Amino acid sequence: VQLQAFGGGLVQAGGSLRLSCAASGRTFSSDAMGWFRQAPGKEREFVAAINWSGATADYADSVKDRFTIYRDNAKATVYLQMNSLKPEDTAIYYCAADTGRIGIGARIPGPYDYWGQGTQVTVSS
């Protein structure tokens, strides 16, 4: 299984970015997916997760109402639309797959089986 995350970049505060995570090598549509981020000197933290069908999602309080996670199973891709970005959103963003999970992806890294390589998001003030 391979996950490739891309779409990061440098953006001013208040701007938007859309991250994508393309999966290959297994049946993507049976996996719950999640996005995590890690800032320098900090632990990896939960951002958002979605169930296999895309019907249900979960968000960290810090990104609720600003970020949206969604997926296109036909394209084996999960997205993270990030609006109203803040400098504190600066981090490396990782996508992850929790294979075979029926419900929403977990809020902790442990249950996830596969991880993408990360994409840098930098928000300037």
Side-chain angles (χ1 to χ4, degrees), residues 20-106:
S20 301
C21 175
S24 61
R26 63 170 279 108
T27 305
F28 172 80
S29 60
S30 63
D31 299 339
M33 299 294 294
W35 286 96
F36 289 77
R37 67 188 182 187
Q38 188 165 18
K42 295 188 176 182
E43 292 187 353
R44 191 168 297 191
E45 66 172 0
F46 169 76
V47 176
I50 194 167
N51 78 323
W52 68 273
S53 68
T56 53
D58 184 27
Y59 298 92
D61 288 345
S62 59
V63 307
K64 198 172 293 185
D65 299 326
R66 298 190 298 123
F67 291 11
T68 302
I69 186 173
Y70 60 101
R71 64 193 295 162
D72 184 337
N73 285 345
K75 296 182 179 179
T77 301
V78 63
Y79 304 92
L80 185 69
Q81 177 66 46
M82 305 185 295
N83 299 328
S84 302
L85 282 160
K86 304 175 181 180
E88 51 263 45
D89 294 319
T90 295
I92 299 174
Y93 283 70
Y94 298 90
C95 61
D98 185 350
T99 59
R101 185 182 184 98
I102 297 174
I104 301 174

